[in-house]
Amino acid sequence: MPKYVIERDVENAGDLSADDLRNISIKSCDVLEQLGPKIQWVESFVTPSKIYCVYIAPDEAMIRKHAEMGEFPITSISEVGCVIDPTTSEGP
């Protein structure tokens, strides 16, 4: 199943409190439960003005449905082509 990185413009995201982040997480999980097991939230990265989320889903439409139901902004959605890390440099 494809993996996606979602960029969300969220003004002052880095200033969100632990309670704010917990409430956003609860809302996201509630929507995910409604959508069923085909979509999975892997993790998110909070920066000063954006939140980058990693999801596994069958298609971009399901990512957009999650955002619509949860009232989460989407700036862009990018499908991950491959994942590399330091071990990639080691070769075969």
Side-chain angles (χ1 to χ4, degrees):
M1 187 145 358
K3 185 179 285 187
Y4 296 90
V5 176
I6 299 94
E7 178 185 11
R8 304 180 192 281
D9 286 331
V10 178
E11 189 174 337
N12 300 316
D15 295 331
L16 292 169
S17 69
D19 283 341
D20 292 334
L21 294 171
R22 184 173 41 258
N23 289 334
I24 291 168
S25 298
I26 289 168
K27 188 174 189 179
S28 179
C29 289
D30 287 346
V31 172
L32 289 169
E33 188 174 320
Q34 293 174 49
L35 290 173
K38 290 190 176 192
I39 182 170
Q40 178 186 0
W41 174 27
V42 177
E43 61 188 342
S44 294
F45 302 92
V46 180
T47 69
S49 62
K50 295 180 185 286
I51 299 177
Y52 297 91
C53 303
V54 179
Y55 278 77
I56 297 170
D59 53 39
E60 188 176 313
M62 186 161 280
I63 299 290
R64 291 192 181 282
K65 182 68 174 174
H66 173 266
E68 177 187 319
M69 290 173 67
E71 299 177 341
F72 304 122
I74 292 179
T75 305
S76 68
I77 300 174
S78 299
E79 186 173 344
V80 175
C82 69
V83 177
I84 62 171
D85 63 29
T87 62
T88 306
S89 69
E90 297 170 6

